[in-house]
Amino acid sequence: MKTNAIQSIKGFKDILPSEIKYYKYIEKIIFDISNQYAINELRLPFIEKSELFMKSIGDNTDIVNKEMYNFIDKNGESICLRPEGTASVVRSVIEHNLVYDRGLKKQKYMYYGPMFRHEKPQKGRYRQFNQFGIEYFGFSDTNSDLELIILGGHVFDKLGLKNIKLHINSLGDKNDKKKYAGIVTKFFTSIKSKLDDYQLNTLNKNPLRLLDSKKDNIKDILEQIPTMTDTLSNESKTRFNILLDKLDAIGIDYILDNSIVRGLDYYNDTVFEWRDMSLGSQNAVCAGGRYDSLVQNTGGNDVPAIGFAMGIERIVELIKNIDISFDEQQFVIPIISTLAETESYGVELATSLRHRYPYLSFYATDSSASLSSQTKSALKINDTFIILITNENIKDKSITVRMKENKMNDTILTNDELIKLMDKSYG
């Protein structure tokens, strides 16, 4: 590459042809499973009003304060590239009366696409990244929590990922969170001297976020804090125990983890993450939980809700390490043409074959190159079957075929004979 060539922006990654197969593999699985669970798809704009995330995620979160791409548009309005999907889905279902219209409507939605956060790029973590998310609205029972967890596990099973572990916790209701935040604040205030500046700021603005800190200076200290589940109200504790009993009954393994607090203000009760330790400190590949007050806080009615989001780039890094049989179009048939520039017979033939065999690929070589050069290119693509169009073929509308079984010698066929041969071999 030339030194003065324009390069991509740091943290914004080109997905090259060699990696596309991993994305398509994941996308097929998540769309197929979403269909199995009768979940409808929503496609949302990449740009939203900044106030949507300030109001829903919370002013005291890193996403809003540090990571969100904010802009003032030509109308003087503060807009942003969406940093996550849940708030956008909530905005959409309120705006279009999808979950409340003269009464509560139960809905299940999925979304897939890019999100944007200005954070330190690292392996499997970029400033533009793809998320797959599921959101359930109108469901307050523990069976909705259970189904969502089963769905997430279903995706990982189909992907062939064996080392992912489910971590689960309960935040309780609004009062429980406030009460526990007080306990955490009191605990860390007593050891302020051991905290760095960032941790002191977090303690002041959002103390629960200290619980999922990966920094060594408080790693051992975190084990001494009373767990959140010990301080839950009776209602939240009963609800959480019912969910855990159901997980036990159907044999879903999980780890009770007090560090699962989720970084966004809108969560309550059940919260969970799937983690893979091979990814290092940033090991969460999917996370979610209940957000029963978010719809109302965003301007809608009182609608219970639960959802999760899955980071696609991290999953790509994981599936690169396992043996996958990709369902790809493996067979490509080269079409060589030695016709004059004014002739279109080769293009017409390729077009008709693509229509007849939509599951095959036909690659037209560069007809301005020499026959020798085109043949070399064709053999790299497919050394068993090549179609060749020459001036002689135009005269009687025939086709020349070179096949491995005929030692790649020229075989002249009529159009009907070519179709019969291909139907037999690839039909």
Side-chain angles (χ1 to χ4, degrees):
M1 183 182 69
K2 293 184 178 180
T3 55
N4 62 347
I6 297 173
Q7 298 184 34
S8 62
I9 301 169
K10 184 178 180 181
F12 290 77
K13 177 179 179 289
D14 296 315
I15 303 174
L16 302 178
S18 59
E19 270 197 322
I20 288 292
K21 61 183 179 181
Y22 297 108
Y23 284 84
K24 287 185 175 181
Y25 177 74
I26 295 168
E27 288 161 8
K28 184 178 188 312
I29 286 173
I30 61 180
F31 276 89
D32 285 350
I33 290 178
S34 296
N35 184 60
Q36 283 188 290
Y37 286 74
I39 297 171
N40 292 313
E41 181 184 5
L42 277 177
R43 298 195 179 186
L44 305 157
F46 294 177
I47 296 178
E48 297 274 11
K49 294 180 179 179
S50 300
E51 65 177 313
L52 171 64
F53 300 100
M54 294 174 179
K55 190 173 183 179
S56 60
I57 296 175
D59 290 335
N60 294 324
T61 61
D62 285 349
I63 292 177
V64 169
N65 287 332
K66 296 182 177 182
E67 300 169 3
M68 199 161 70
Y69 282 92
N70 285 308
F71 308 91
I72 301 299
D73 72 0
K74 293 183 178 181
N75 296 322
E77 186 173 35
S78 179
I79 61 175
C80 68
L81 296 175
R82 60 185 188 187
E84 60 101 42
T86 299
S88 291
V89 174
V90 169
R91 189 268 311 149
S92 179
V93 299
I94 294 172
E95 183 175 340
H96 301 289
N97 298 319
L98 299 179
V99 298
Y100 201 97
D101 185 11
R102 297 184 298 276
L104 181 65
K105 298 165 68 176
K106 300 179 187 296
Q107 302 282 12
K108 300 179 181 182
Y109 293 110
M110 67 154 288
Y111 62 87
Y112 177 84
M115 308 294 162
F116 306 85
R117 296 184 192 178
H118 190 280
E119 54 186 342
K120 184 179 179 181
Q122 51 189 284
K123 189 175 182 179
R125 189 184 183 104
Y126 303 95
R127 290 174 176 172
Q128 178 179 326
F129 56 96
N130 290 282
Q131 272 190 354
F132 160 59
I134 300 285
E135 315 290 355
Y136 284 12
F137 295 97
F139 297 85
S140 59
D141 61 336
T142 55
N143 281 336
S144 58
D145 303 37
L146 180 65
E147 180 173 287
L148 209 62
I149 290 171
I150 291 172
L151 193 160
H154 191 173
V155 170
F156 295 128
D157 285 344
K158 288 290 287 184
L159 289 170
L161 300 175
K162 307 297 184 184
N163 297 320
I164 290 180
K165 304 295 182 185
L166 172 64
H167 293 240
I168 193 168
N169 194 19
S170 176
L171 300 177
D173 58 25
K174 184 177 181 180
N175 290 330
D176 292 337
K177 288 174 68 176
K178 186 176 181 180
K179 177 182 175 183
Y180 192 65
I183 293 173
V184 172
T185 300
K186 183 178 179 181
F187 184 90
F188 278 106
T189 300
S190 66
I191 56 165
K192 266 189 173 184
S193 60
K194 297 183 178 181
L195 304 181
D196 60 29
D197 290 342
Y198 178 79
Q199 291 165 339
L200 287 170
N201 186 53
T202 303
L203 175 62
N204 181 51
K205 291 184 175 181
N206 196 354
L208 293 184
R209 284 310 312 269
L210 288 170
L211 298 178
D212 66 358
S213 173
K214 308 297 189 299
K215 294 191 175 182
D216 291 336
N217 65 319
I218 62 171
K219 194 173 182 181
D220 295 333
I221 297 172
L222 290 173
E223 297 178 2
Q224 302 170 31
I225 299 178
T227 64
M228 186 172 285
T229 52
D230 291 335
T231 63
L232 294 177
S233 63
N234 288 334
E235 184 178 355
S236 288
K237 186 177 291 186
T238 298
R239 188 185 192 285
F240 191 49
N241 286 335
I242 290 173
L243 175 60
L244 296 182
D245 287 343
K246 289 179 178 180
L247 292 173
D248 291 335
I250 61 179
I252 294 179
D253 293 329
Y254 59 86
I255 297 171
L256 281 175
D257 191 337
N258 198 55
S259 73
I260 306 297
V261 294
R262 307 301 303 123
L264 312 180
D265 289 350
Y266 52 65
Y267 284 106
N268 65 275
D269 283 309
T270 307
V271 286
F272 49 85
E273 290 183 2
W274 280 273
R275 295 178 175 178
D276 190 301
M277 302 311 292
S278 68
L279 292 172
S281 61
Q282 299 295 337
N283 53 29
V285 295
C286 180
R290 296 206 68 85
Y291 50 94
D292 293 329
S293 61
L294 181 58
V295 176
Q296 191 170 40
N297 291 344
T298 309
N301 294 90
D302 184 10
V303 178
I306 184 171
F308 69 59
M310 191 176 292
I312 302 303
E313 276 69 21
R314 293 186 185 179
I315 295 174
V316 168
E317 291 302 319
L318 293 175
I319 66 173
K320 284 179 179 178
N321 299 320
I322 60 179
D323 186 25
I324 298 172
S325 296
F326 290 102
D327 183 19
E328 295 183 298
Q329 288 186 341
Q330 297 287 347
F331 203 83
V332 181
I333 298 175
I335 299 178
I336 296 174
S337 172
T338 61
L339 304 180
E341 182 70 16
T342 56
E343 293 289 350
S344 61
Y345 179 54
V347 175
E348 293 171 13
L349 174 66
T351 301
S352 66
L353 290 174
R354 289 186 183 110
H355 283 300
R356 185 176 181 90
Y357 303 100
Y359 44 87
L360 296 177
S361 296
F362 295 88
Y363 183 89
T365 58
D366 179 8
S367 59
S368 67
S370 67
L371 175 59
S372 174
S373 176
Q374 290 188 66
T375 300
K376 286 179 181 178
S377 296
L379 288 171
K380 289 178 183 179
I381 297 168
N382 185 342
D383 61 0
T384 64
F385 193 95
I386 294 172
I387 294 174
L388 171 62
I389 306 299
T390 68
N391 289 320
E392 293 299 316
N393 295 125
I394 290 182
K395 295 176 182 178
D396 54 8
K397 294 296 182 181
S398 64
I399 300 103
T400 301
V401 174
R402 293 176 177 176
M403 296 177 287
K404 191 172 185 178
E405 61 191 61
N406 197 26
K407 298 182 180 180
M408 302 305 285
N409 291 317
D410 289 355
T411 302
I412 309 300
L413 303 175
T414 65
N415 186 71
D416 288 342
E417 288 171 336
L418 174 65
I419 295 302
K420 185 176 180 180
L421 173 64
M422 292 191 63
D423 283 349
K424 180 180 179 182
S425 302
Y426 315 115

